[in-house]
Amino acid sequence: MAGKLSTCFLSHQWSCCTVLDCKHLNVCFYSLPSPRFATVSCKIRQRNSSLPPRRPQAKKIIPAQIPQNDNLMTPGNENSDSENEDDFSHQSTSDEVVAIQRFDDKNSSSKLIPSIGADKVGELTTVNLQDVIGMIRNAEKNIHILNQARINAIEDLETILSEKEVLQREINNLEMRLAETDARIRVAAQDKIHVELLQDHLEKLEAEMYNNGAHDAVVLRSPDRQTRALSEELNVLRNENISLQNDLNTLKEQLRDVKRTDERVEMLENERTVLELSIKELEYKLTVSQQDGVQLSTLRSECETLWNKVEHLQGLLDKSTSQADQAILLLQQNQELRKKVERLEESLEDANIYKLSSEKLQQYNDLMQQKIKLLDERLERSDAEIHSYVQLYQDSVKEFQETLDNLKEESKKKASGKQVDMPWEFWSCLLLMFDAWFLEKKIHGDEAKLLREMTWKKDGRIHDVFIECKEKNEREVIAAFRRLTSSSSGSGLHVVHIAAEMAPVAKVGGLGDVLSALSKALQKKGHLVEIILPKYDCMQYESIQNLRVLDLAVESYFDGHLFKNKIWIGTVEGLPVYFIEPLHPAKFFWRGKTYGEPDDLKRFSFFSRAALELLHQSGKKPDIIHCHDWQTAFVAPLYWDLYAPKGLNSARICFTCHNFEYQGTASASEIASCGLDIHHLNRPDRMQDNSSHDRLNPVKGAIVFSNIVTTVSPTYAQEVRTSQGGQGLHATLNAHSQKFVGILNGIDTDSWNPATDTYLSFQYNASDLEGKSENKNALRRHLGLSLSDSRRPLVGCITRLVPQKGVHLIRHAIYRALELGGQFVLLGSSPVPNIHREFEEIAKKFQNHEHIRLILKYDEALSHSIYAASDMFIIPSIFEPCGLTQMIAMRYGAIPIARKTGGLNDSVFDVDDDTIPIQVRNGFTFVTPDEHAFNGAFDRAFKYYKNDSEGWEELMKKVMNIDFSWDTSASQYEELYLQSVSKAKAARRAAAG
C-alpha cells in the first residue's frame, strides 16, 4: 500500500511530475533548459569569432552525439519524502545544464570557421539542439517514472485484492458463527419458556403443600424430591441462560467488527476505484508522452539533417580552400612562366641560328609520328586477336568445367547406387502413397521415413517392387515395401511450400506461376518438394492426376473449437500436392473464387494452422517450410509459438512477399481466432502494425519470425526499404535487413516455349522466325484485324487493369499506337469497377476497328497467341515487384517497352543506353510514369522497327536466347536454404555441447 504512482507532463517550456501515494498528491516541477544557456553559447561563439583571422584549416566537423537514455530518472525509495524529490529535481536540472554547456562548448570549439553564413548555421544548430536535448532527456525520465508508477500501482492493486479475499473469508466464517449463535439463542429461548412454566408449576405445588399441612407429609416427600430436582434443573438452566447471554454479547461485538470490516472493504473498494481512474489517466498521459516521443524522434532526425548540411558546408569550405591553394600555386607558376618567357625572348636571337636544324627536327618528328600510328594500329589488331584467344580460352574452360560437373554428377549417381530414370510424376505418386499409408496408420513412422528417402533418391528397388506388386492387393504391396526398409540417408533438402495459389490448378496472379516453377526447379536439383494448398471448389481439377481423399480427418483449432479437415492428395505436373478441405460451417473454400471474400483473413489463417497441423500429425520433419504472401504469413508465428514446442521443430521458415502492397492487416481479435497469443504479439517489435497500433500485421509478423525473408527482385528489395516504397514496413525491413534479400523470379521455360507450345498455330524458335509472322497473321484473322500490311507493328499488352499497372499509360498507348501506324491488342480484366467501365467503353468504341482490339477477360490460350504474335509488348507499371510478362514476351520474340522500376529494372535494359554493355541491351525503357516519358520510349521502338528491319530481327533473336529459366533463381534459394539449415544444425550442436 506504500507504492507510488507517478506521472509526468511535458510541454515546450515546462515539465511537472505528479506523485500519487494512494491518499496523497505531491507535485514537483522540472525546468527545461533556459534560454540563458543559448546566450552563453552565442557569447562563446562571438568570442571565438572575434579572434584575429587566420588561414582556414581543412578540418572536418564531427557532430556531437545526442545522449540516448544515459541519465534516465529512476523512482525514489518508497519512504522518500518531498524534500528528496526536490533535491532530485534540482540535481537533474543541474546535470542538464552541464551537459548542454559541454555540448555547446564542443560545438563552439569545432566551428572556428570564418565563412559566410557560418554564424547563422551555428546559432540555429545550437538553439535547436539545446531544445531537443532538454526535451529528450525529460521525456525519457518522465516515461521511466510512468512505467515504474504503473508497476507499483499494479502491485498495490494485487495486494488490495488479496486482502479483500482474506476479509471475505473472515466475513463468511463470522456469518456461519452468527447463524450457529442464532440457533443456540432460539434453543435457549425455548428452554427459558420451559423453565418459567416449571417455576409456575413449582409455586403452585408449594402453595398446595402449605395449604394441606403436615397430614400430607408422607405424600409430599416425593414432591419434595421432585422440587429439589426441578430446582437443580432450574439452576442449571439459569447458568446456561447466563452463558448464552454472554455468548450473545460476544457475537454482537463480533457482528459490530464485521460491520466495521464491511466499512473498511467499502473504503478499500473506493480507493481501488480511485486507483483505477488514476491508472487510466496515467495510460492516457503515457500515450500523449509517446506521441511526444515520436515528435522528438522527428526533431532528432531534423537535427541529424542539420548536421549533415553543416558537414556538407564544411566539405564545400574544404573544397574551396583547396581550390584557393591551387589558385595560389597557379599564380606562382604563372610568375615563373613569365620569367621564363623573358629569358626566352632574350635568347630568341640565339635561337635563330639553330632554325635550320629545327626544321629538320620537325620532319624527323613527323616521320616518328607516322611510325607510332602504325604501331598503334598493329597493337589494336594484336589486342583484338588476344581478346579472341582469351574468349576462346574462357569458353573452353567453361565447357571443360561443365563436362567436369557432369562427370562428377554421374560419378555421384554411380556411387549412390542404382537409379531408375522415371518421370517425376511416378515418384510423386509413390511419395503420396507412402504418406497416405502412414496417416492411415498402415505403416510406422520410421518405415514411412525410409521409404520416402529411397523414393527421393529414385532407388531402383522401389521401382522393381512397385512393378512386381502391380497385380497384388494393398496388404501384399505394403508387406513387400516393408521388406525394403533399411538404413538410408537423403542427400537433398525436404522443402514444404504452403501457399494459396499454384499454377495451373489454382492460379490468380504471378504467385501461382512462381510456386510451380520454383518447386520443379528445386525438384530437378535433387530436393524433396511438397506443396500444401486449400481445396477450392473452383480449381482446375483436370490438371490434377491421381486425386483421392485419405481415410482420416485432421483436426485443427479455430475460434475455441476443433474442426475436422479432409486431406486430399494428388500430383500436379509431377509435384506431390496436399489439398486441405475444412469441414467448417462457413465453407471457407467453397465460394466459387480464390480471393475477394469479406472473411479472407479467417479463411487463410484457418488454412495456415491446418497445414501445420497436417505436418505435425503426419510426423514429417521438413528442413524448410516456405510460405508466401500475407495469406500464409500466419505460418511463421504459429510455427514458433505453438508447433515448435510440440516437436515440429526441424524446419527453418522462409517467407516470400510477392507484393508489399497487400499485408492483410486486421484487428487483434480477428487474428486471435487461429490461436495466436495476441497479447504476446501485439508489440512494436512483433506483429503490431506500424501505421495503426490497434491492428496486427501478418506480413510484419512473418518478417519478424522467419529465418529467411525474400522478395521477387533485387531492385524491389531496395525500393521497399524506403519510406516511399515500403508501404509502412520499411523500418521493419531495415531492422531485419541481414536476412532480407531480393531474388529475381524466373519463368517456366517448359510451359513458355514457342518451339513446343501447343497453343500456337505455328511453332518457331530463334533460328527460324518464320513461324512468328505466321502466328501474327493467325491472331489478326482470329480477332478480325487488318492483314493488308504485314510490316505494320503489333503491340501487345496482357495485364490486370489496376492502378499499379499504369492504366492511364495503357489507355494512352492505344491511341498512340494508332497515331504511329501500329496495331494494339489488350488482354486483361479489372476488379476495380470504374476502371472496368472505362475500358468497356473503349472496347465498344473500337469493337469493329481494323487495328485495335480489347478482350476484357483472361484467356490462357489467347495469351500464348498474343505473346507469339506481338512485335512489341508494353509494361508501363507504376511499381512492379518482379513481373513475368516482360520475360515471357522476350521468350516469344516480343521486344519489351517498360518503366524502370522493380523487377523490370532488373530484366529490361534500353538499347540506346551506352552505360550498359551492348550484349545485355534488350528493350526500351523510361523513368517517369507520364505520357511524355512513355512516348519517348514508344516512339523510339516504332522508329527502330520501321527503319532497321535487320537490326530488329537481330534484337528478336537476342532476347529469345536470354536465359530466364528458374535455374539461377532456384540456385539462389537453394543456397539460402542450405545456409539457414547449416546455421541451425551448428546452433543445435553448440547447445548440446
Side-chain angles (χ1 to χ4, degrees):
M1 300 298 289
K4 293 183 180 180
L5 304 180
S6 301
T7 180
C8 299
F9 307 91
L10 178 66
S11 66
H12 185 65
Q13 293 294 335
W14 58 272
S15 174
C16 73
C17 178
T18 303
V19 181
L20 298 177
D21 191 18
C22 296
K23 296 182 180 180
H24 303 285
L25 181 68
N26 297 327
V27 179
C28 57
F29 292 87
Y30 302 117
S31 61
L32 288 174
S34 171
R36 67 175 180 274
F37 300 123
T39 306
V40 171
S41 174
C42 293
K43 287 180 179 179
I44 293 173
R45 193 175 307 283
Q46 291 171 5
R47 185 182 62 193
N48 292 333
S49 300
S50 65
L51 294 173
R54 58 183 178 181
R55 184 174 178 178
Q57 300 295 323
K59 183 177 181 182
K60 185 175 180 180
I61 296 175
I62 302 175
Q65 295 296 322
I66 297 175
Q68 306 229 357
N69 299 331
D70 290 332
N71 298 317
L72 293 176
M73 174 181 271
T74 58
N77 295 329
E78 292 183 352
N79 298 323
S80 62
D81 54 14
S82 60
E83 184 176 350
N84 292 333
E85 293 172 0
D86 292 337
D87 293 339
F88 181 81
S89 173
H90 178 72
Q91 182 64 32
S92 300
T93 307
S94 300
D95 292 343
E96 291 171 9
V97 172
V98 172
I100 294 171
Q101 183 65 44
R102 290 176 180 171
F103 182 83
D104 193 29
D105 290 343
K106 187 174 181 181
N107 288 338
S108 300
S109 63
S110 63
K111 294 183 180 178
L112 301 177
I113 303 170
S115 59
I116 298 174
D119 290 337
K120 294 181 180 179
V121 173
E123 292 173 3
L124 177 61
T125 305
T126 304
V127 174
N128 289 341
L129 286 175
Q130 289 171 357
D131 291 343
V132 170
I133 291 169
M135 292 171 72
I136 289 172
R137 283 192 168 188
N138 281 325
E140 290 173 345
K141 295 172 184 176
N142 295 337
I143 290 171
H144 186 81
I145 292 173
L146 283 172
N147 292 334
Q148 187 63 35
R150 188 172 183 180
I151 292 170
N152 292 336
I154 292 172
E155 292 175 353
D156 289 345
L157 185 59
E158 290 176 351
T159 304
I160 290 169
L161 292 175
S162 62
E163 290 182 356
K164 182 181 176 182
E165 291 177 358
V166 172
L167 290 173
Q168 187 63 44
R169 287 196 295 270
E170 291 180 0
I171 290 170
N172 294 336
N173 293 332
L174 290 173
E175 287 178 349
M176 292 174 61
R177 294 180 60 185
L178 183 61
E180 292 175 358
T181 303
D182 289 340
R184 293 175 65 184
I185 289 171
R186 285 194 294 272
V187 172
Q190 293 176 359
D191 291 340
K192 185 179 181 181
I193 293 170
H194 181 62
V195 168
E196 289 176 352
L197 292 175
L198 289 175
Q199 285 179 345
D200 293 339
H201 183 63
L202 182 59
E203 289 174 356
K204 290 179 181 179
L205 288 175
E206 287 176 351
E208 288 178 0
M209 287 172 62
Y210 181 78
N211 293 328
N212 291 333
H215 64 277
D216 293 331
V218 178
V219 178
L220 289 175
R221 285 178 184 172
S222 179
D224 287 337
R225 287 194 298 272
Q226 292 180 357
T227 301
R228 284 195 297 271
L230 288 174
S231 297
E232 291 174 358
E233 186 177 358
L234 181 61
N235 291 331
V236 171
L237 289 175
R238 283 176 180 170
N239 293 332
E240 288 182 356
N241 191 19
I242 293 170
S243 175
L244 288 173
Q245 286 179 351
N246 293 333
D247 291 340
L248 183 60
N249 292 331
T250 302
L251 288 174
K252 287 180 180 179
E253 289 294 331
Q254 291 178 352
L255 184 60
R256 282 194 292 271
D257 291 340
V258 169
K259 290 181 180 179
R260 285 195 296 271
T261 303
D262 289 339
E263 292 174 357
R264 185 186 174 197
V265 169
E266 186 177 358
M267 181 180 67
L268 289 174
E269 287 288 340
N270 294 333
E271 289 181 0
R272 185 177 66 84
T273 304
V274 172
L275 286 173
E276 288 177 348
L277 294 174
S278 300
I279 290 171
K280 289 180 180 178
E281 184 179 0
L282 286 171
E283 289 176 348
Y284 170 76
K285 290 170 182 175
L286 179 61
T287 304
V288 173
S289 67
Q290 289 175 346
Q291 295 174 354
D292 291 338
V294 174
Q295 294 176 356
L296 289 173
S297 300
T298 305
L299 290 173
R300 183 179 293 175
S301 64
E302 292 176 357
C303 178
E304 292 175 354
T305 304
L306 287 173
W307 275 118
N308 293 333
K309 290 180 179 178
V310 170
E311 286 185 347
H312 180 64
L313 289 173
Q314 179 66 30
L316 293 176
L317 179 61
D318 295 342
K319 187 175 180 181
S320 62
T321 303
S322 62
Q323 290 176 351
D325 294 337
Q326 292 175 1
I328 293 171
L329 291 174
L330 289 174
L331 288 173
Q332 293 175 353
Q333 293 174 1
N334 192 15
Q335 291 176 357
E336 293 175 358
L337 287 173
R338 285 181 181 178
K339 293 178 182 180
K340 290 180 180 179
V341 168
E342 290 174 358
R343 287 196 297 269
L344 287 172
E345 288 176 352
E346 291 174 357
S347 60
L348 183 61
E349 294 178 357
D350 297 337
N352 290 331
I353 298 172
Y354 302 99
K355 183 176 181 182
L356 183 60
S357 61
S358 297
E359 290 177 355
K360 291 181 179 179
L361 184 62
Q362 182 65 35
Q363 292 175 358
Y364 178 76
N365 286 337
D366 293 339
L367 181 62
M368 291 301 296
Q369 289 292 335
Q370 292 177 1
K371 290 182 178 180
I372 290 171
K373 188 175 181 180
L374 291 173
L375 288 173
D376 287 337
E377 292 176 356
R378 290 179 182 177
L379 185 61
E380 289 177 359
R381 286 197 298 271
S382 65
D383 287 340
E385 291 176 357
I386 291 171
H387 181 71
S388 64
Y389 289 143
V390 169
Q391 187 66 36
L392 181 61
Y393 171 76
Q394 290 176 346
D395 293 339
S396 301
V397 170
K398 185 177 180 181
E399 183 178 358
F400 172 77
Q401 188 64 40
E402 291 175 352
T403 305
L404 183 61
D405 292 339
N406 291 333
L407 290 173
K408 286 181 179 179
E409 290 179 2
E410 290 178 1
S411 65
K412 286 181 180 178
K413 290 179 180 178
K414 291 178 181 178
S416 62
K418 177 187 173 184
Q419 290 188 348
V420 178
D421 188 14
M422 292 293 289
W424 271 108
E425 184 178 348
F426 171 79
W427 302 108
S428 297
C429 286
L430 287 178
L431 284 170
L432 293 173
M433 181 175 71
F434 297 147
D435 285 341
W437 287 350
F438 171 71
L439 291 170
E440 294 169 351
K441 303 187 185 306
K442 295 176 181 176
I443 60 175
H444 299 301
D446 294 338
E447 294 171 334
K449 180 180 179 181
L450 292 173
L451 289 172
R452 285 194 203 110
E453 290 176 352
M454 295 175 71
T455 306
W456 183 353
K457 294 190 299 182
K458 297 185 178 180
D459 195 314
R461 292 173 295 172
I462 292 282
H463 171 267
D464 296 340
V465 171
F466 181 78
I467 297 301
E468 290 174 2
C469 299
K470 254 189 173 182
E471 304 300 327
K472 297 180 180 179
N473 59 39
E474 187 180 47
R475 180 172 298 184
E476 293 174 338
V477 173
I478 293 173
F481 276 108
R482 273 182 165 172
R483 288 192 292 270
L484 268 182
T485 54
S486 60
S487 61
S488 177
S489 61
S491 59
L493 295 172
H494 183 187
V495 181
V496 176
H497 287 278
I498 302 176
E501 294 184 38
M502 179 186 181
V505 292
K507 175 184 172 182
V508 175
L511 168 59
D513 293 315
V514 168
L515 184 68
S516 299
L518 174 59
S519 299
K520 286 191 281 187
L522 291 171
Q523 191 183 62
K524 288 178 182 177
K525 290 180 177 292
H527 302 294
L528 172 59
V529 183
E530 297 177 309
I531 299 164
I532 303 177
L533 292 175
K535 187 177 182 295
Y536 302 103
D537 58 342
C538 55
M539 289 194 306
Q540 304 296 322
Y541 285 94
E542 64 274 9
S543 300
I544 308 173
Q545 290 77 42
N546 304 314
L547 179 66
R548 69 184 183 92
V549 66
L550 298 183
D551 186 17
L552 84 159
V554 173
E555 288 188 336
S556 61
Y557 172 91
F558 198 74
D559 273 338
H561 303 283
L562 290 176
F563 294 95
K564 292 184 178 180
N565 299 273
K566 281 187 179 180
I567 308 300
W568 298 71
I569 58 174
T571 59
V572 178
E573 297 183 349
L575 293 166
V577 184
Y578 295 81
F579 301 94
I580 295 179
E581 179 185 355
L583 301 181
H584 190 280
K587 297 186 179 299
F588 283 144
F589 300 110
W590 290 83
R591 308 287 183 84
K593 58 182 177 180
T594 306
Y595 303 136
E597 291 293 292
D599 59 345
D600 272 357
L601 186 126
K602 285 197 170 188
R603 296 169 68 213
F604 290 105
S605 61
F606 181 98
F607 165 69
S608 298
R609 174 140 191 184
L612 287 173
E613 194 66 40
L614 171 62
L615 293 177
H616 177 57
Q617 294 190 24
S618 64
K620 292 180 182 291
K621 297 290 183 181
D623 299 299
I624 297 291
I625 296 176
H626 197 150
C627 47
H628 301 260
D629 280 346
W630 75 263
Q631 288 86 359
T632 55
F634 308 95
V635 167
L638 281 169
Y639 176 83
W640 292 113
D641 277 9
L642 300 179
Y643 286 91
K646 292 181 180 180
L648 181 62
N649 56 4
S650 63
R652 309 299 283 171
I653 303 298
C654 178
F655 172 68
T656 298
C657 186
H658 300 256
N659 191 336
F660 280 93
E661 186 178 15
Y662 306 102
Q663 299 176 15
T665 58
S667 63
S669 59
E670 291 182 86
I671 291 180
S673 297
C674 64
L676 287 173
D677 184 355
I678 58 174
H679 301 291
H680 172 65
L681 298 173
N682 191 13
R683 285 172 35 177
D685 60 338
R686 293 183 181 171
M687 286 185 70
Q688 186 182 88
D689 187 58
N690 293 339
S691 303
S692 180
H693 295 169
D694 59 340
R695 297 173 71 80
L696 296 186
N697 189 325
V699 172
K700 180 180 176 181
I703 294 170
V704 172
F705 283 92
S706 295
N707 306 105
I708 307 167
V709 181
T710 70
T711 192
V712 291
S713 69
T715 298
Y716 188 57
Q718 295 300 320
E719 291 174 350
V720 296
R721 290 179 62 181
T722 65
S723 57
Q724 294 80 14
Q727 303 291 336
L729 287 175
H730 55 283
T732 304
L733 291 169
N734 285 320
H736 296 272
S737 59
Q738 75 280 0
K739 63 181 179 182
F740 179 52
V741 65
I743 299 176
L744 185 68
N745 285 340
I747 58 173
D748 187 345
T749 52
D750 294 331
S751 300
W752 298 103
N753 186 358
T756 59
D757 195 335
T758 57
Y759 288 112
L760 303 185
S761 303
F762 303 91
Q763 283 74 37
Y764 63 98
N765 54 46
S767 303
D768 181 12
L769 292 174
E770 290 184 6
K772 184 166 180 66
S773 58
E774 295 294 337
N775 281 299
K776 183 177 179 179
N777 290 331
L779 181 69
R780 284 171 166 174
R781 283 191 293 269
H782 177 69
L783 298 179
L785 300 177
S786 173
L787 291 162
S788 58
D789 185 1
S790 61
R791 283 290 301 163
R792 184 184 292 272
L794 176 63
V795 182
C797 180
I798 300 176
T799 184
R800 288 183 302 117
L801 296 171
V802 293
Q804 169 199 340
K805 301 296 183 180
V807 289
H808 65 292
L809 296 177
I810 296 173
R811 179 180 61 246
H812 171 73
I814 297 171
Y815 296 95
R816 188 64 178 172
L818 274 180
E819 294 174 6
L820 297 176
Q823 293 179 319
F824 193 96
V825 176
L826 168 68
L827 176 66
S829 60
S830 176
V832 185
N834 60 325
I835 295 177
H836 184 71
R837 285 193 298 270
E838 179 184 3
F839 277 85
E840 274 188 335
E841 293 176 1
I842 298 174
K844 289 179 182 177
K845 179 179 178 181
F846 292 106
Q847 186 173 3
N848 298 315
H849 199 280
E850 60 179 349
H851 298 308
I852 305 294
R853 196 69 72 239
L854 277 67
I855 304 96
L856 301 181
K857 63 177 182 178
Y858 183 75
D859 187 320
E860 182 72 17
L862 185 57
S863 69
H864 286 249
S865 299
I866 293 174
Y867 282 123
S870 298
D871 298 299
M872 309 168 195
F873 228 86
I874 64 166
I875 315 100
S877 301
I878 305 302
F879 71 93
E880 189 64 66
C882 176
L884 304 179
T885 303
Q886 75 278 10
M887 302 181 194
I888 299 171
M890 286 188 274
R891 178 78 168 158
Y892 284 74
I895 309 303
I897 302 170
R899 179 171 175 264
K900 291 175 70 65
T901 181
L904 299 174
N905 187 52
D906 297 320
S907 55
V908 181
F909 307 98
D910 200 290
V911 298
D912 296 323
D913 189 348
D914 295 332
T915 63
I916 298 174
I918 192 169
Q919 61 267 25
V920 299
R921 301 179 199 172
N922 56 4
F924 299 86
T925 62
F926 61 99
V927 178
T928 55
D930 55 39
E931 295 178 0
H932 177 73
F934 176 82
N935 286 348
F938 201 58
D939 294 0
R940 284 190 294 116
F942 267 75
K943 183 178 179 181
Y944 196 148
Y945 179 86
K946 292 182 177 180
N947 297 340
D948 190 357
S949 59
E950 292 182 1
W952 188 269
E953 185 173 337
E954 290 300 319
L955 183 60
M956 289 169 59
K957 292 179 180 179
K958 181 199 291 187
V959 300
M960 290 182 72
N961 286 322
I962 297 175
D963 182 13
F964 285 116
S965 70
W966 266 97
D967 289 342
T968 302
S969 303
S971 297
Q972 290 178 279
Y973 275 106
E974 181 184 39
E975 184 178 358
L976 289 176
Y977 292 164
L978 290 171
Q979 288 177 355
S980 184
V981 170
S982 63
K983 286 180 183 178
K985 289 181 179 178
R988 284 196 288 268
R989 285 195 297 269

